[in-house]
Amino acid sequence: MENEKTDLTLIDRNQLTVTGVKKIKSSEPEQIVLLLSGVALIIGGNNLCVQSASIQSGEVAITGLVQSLRYTGVNAKRKFSFKNMFR
């Protein structure tokens, strides 16, 4: 697993900048999910919006009221699911 550096900059709970982003998994007004190196960052809040994103540089800027930041484990190599098994 890669150990790429990730930086979070939060200004007044209204402007969040995240570096080290590999992919934006989902973006909704109440929750944005970013895939980092080996983990997912789940951003919860109100009126969240991706203002700018550069996957080449790995930087994402988010506006809106940030109420929570949570990391969860992600196993990017795991592709198997029971749903696919019974097709």
Side-chain angles (χ1 to χ4, degrees), residues 31-84:
Q31 179 176 286
I32 296 175
V33 180
L34 305 177
L35 297 182
L36 309 175
S37 182
V39 297
L41 175 61
I42 301 170
I43 303 151
N46 291 320
N47 299 318
L48 297 175
C49 179
V50 175
Q51 285 299 108
S52 64
S54 173
I55 300 306
Q56 289 80 17
S57 68
E59 186 170 310
V60 174
I62 297 168
T63 59
L65 179 62
V66 176
Q67 295 177 322
S68 67
L69 298 168
R70 183 171 46 117
Y71 286 97
T72 62
V74 172
N75 187 351
K77 293 181 182 177
R78 186 174 180 207
K79 301 277 183 189
F80 174 80
S81 74
F82 285 107
K83 179 180 173 184
N84 292 335

